[in-house]
Amino acid sequence: MDPRALVTRRRAMVATLLATVLPFVAAAQPAAQETFEPRVGQAGKDVIWVPTPNGLIDRMLRMANAGPSDKLVDLGSGDGRIAIAAVRDFKVASATGIEYNPAMVTLSNRNATEQGVAPRAKFIEGDIFATDFSDATIVTMYLLPSLNLRLRPTILNMKPGTRVVSHAFTMEEWRPDDRAEVEGQNAYFWIVPARVAGTWRVQAGAETVELKLTQSFQDFRGTAAPMNATVQGSLKGDEIRLTLPDGRGGQRELVGKVAGEQMSGKLGADNFTATRIAQPAP
Ligand SMILES: C[S@@+](CC[C@H](N)C(=O)[O-])C[C@H]1O[C@@H](n2cnc3c(N)ncnc32)[C@H](O)[C@@H]1O
């Protein structure tokens, strides 16, 4: 056959095929999106979808003290209601939902647009175990106990002071700093503690104190030399407080901020600075 005739015949075949298939493709796409209705209990990658009730969301975001300087991430964001409420009702700077199910991501982004909070509330398709959310100042989640435990090391590595709220499930031996109940449903709240284990040399004017501390999540204990005292307390993010003998039969408070290997603050009426001079034994 004449090659030009062959090309013409092939083109005609492709055109016929496209004419047959395209109307179905075009019709199928919007229909699939418009008819998507999430079902409570529908399968998810690691956990099914069950939405957090709005009353509890409000309580969770209050407990986290959410506000305009916050960047919130909701891990497994479902229909987007937590991130949307964070921007709409608490005016957080940004709220991102990470959700594995692409249909839920589309639905959430549409909900955010309808409620006038896009793009400050936005939703991305992803796996919470493979997505970096380390810049968030508030983490919310409604997952499962085993998933909270898998996330725990990642969360403990976040910036001290990061706030975490979990609907229903705890972090096992990382005791919550606060909790709330709304209509029989529980939420738990934690503040990521600074790391203070090790030996610190504290300098306050002419006085030098050596603190040897061990740490379990937000709780620490140890000894202070040269006064040979035991110390203990709980961190609130990067804030440390402990009581020390003053050498005259009384006591004074050390109140400081931890920044990596340094601390600074007040020891009684004096300013102090401190440096970690030895890491904890492994
Ligand atoms: C119990 S629902 C909570 C939804 C929302 N956070 C709320 O409280 O209303 C859990 C959500 O996590 C999603 N999910 C499950 N495994 C996931 C994973 N590995 N990465 C991202 N999302 C996941 C599910 O599709 C579901 O939408």
Side-chain angles (χ1 to χ4, degrees), residues 97-266:
I98 303 172
E99 169 59 52
Y100 200 78
N101 180 336
M104 294 300 270
V105 174
T106 305
L107 174 73
S108 311
N109 278 318
R110 194 163 59 224
N111 289 345
T113 302
E114 279 169 12
Q115 300 215 28
V117 293
R120 267 167 59 207
K122 69 168 195 292
F123 300 90
I124 56 174
E125 186 183 333
D127 185 333
I128 55 173
F129 294 105
T131 308
D132 179 13
F133 54 88
S134 56
D135 65 343
T137 61
I138 298 179
V139 180
T140 56
M141 56 210 197
Y142 179 22
L143 297 166
L144 282 175
S146 58
L147 303 183
N148 282 13
L149 277 195
R150 265 175 78 191
L151 288 165
R152 199 173 74 179
T154 307
I155 290 174
L156 281 165
N157 257 333
M158 292 176 79
K159 194 167 174 267
T162 303
R163 288 148 282 155
V164 184
V165 201
S166 167
H167 174 185
F169 303 115
T170 69
M171 298 265 192
E172 297 227 327
E173 62 286 38
W174 184 10
R175 86 183 149 72
D177 293 297
D178 198 0
R179 61 181 71 204
E181 190 198 314
V182 175
E183 291 171 5
Q185 302 206 40
N186 292 298
Y188 301 94
F189 172 72
W190 299 263
I191 304 174
V192 172
R195 291 169 189 254
V196 294
T199 306
W200 294 83
R201 181 159 296 145
V202 180
Q203 201 67 50
E207 184 182 6
T208 304
V209 178
E210 205 166 280
L211 295 174
K212 276 195 168 63
L213 302 177
T214 58
Q215 182 172 4
S216 172
F217 303 101
Q218 66 269 62
D219 299 324
F220 64 86
R221 57 176 59 246
T223 55
M227 55 280 277
N228 198 22
T230 56
V231 294
Q232 62 176 38
S234 295
L235 290 145
K236 194 172 171 197
D238 62 358
E239 198 182 298
I240 186 166
R241 275 174 187 270
L242 54 92
T243 305
L244 284 175
D246 64 4
R248 297 186 299 276
Q251 305 225 298
R252 67 239 158 112
E253 259 212 311
L254 177 147
V255 183
K257 290 239 178 233
V258 184
E261 303 307 299
Q262 307 293 322
M263 277 188 216
S264 59
K266 287 272 184 194

Side-chain angles (χ1 to χ4, degrees), residues 46-52 74 76 78 82 99-100 126-128 142:
D46 293 306
V47 58
I48 59 172
W49 176 61
V50 179
T52 297
D74 186 31
I82 293 182
E99 169 59 52
Y100 200 78
D127 185 333
I128 55 173
Y142 179 22

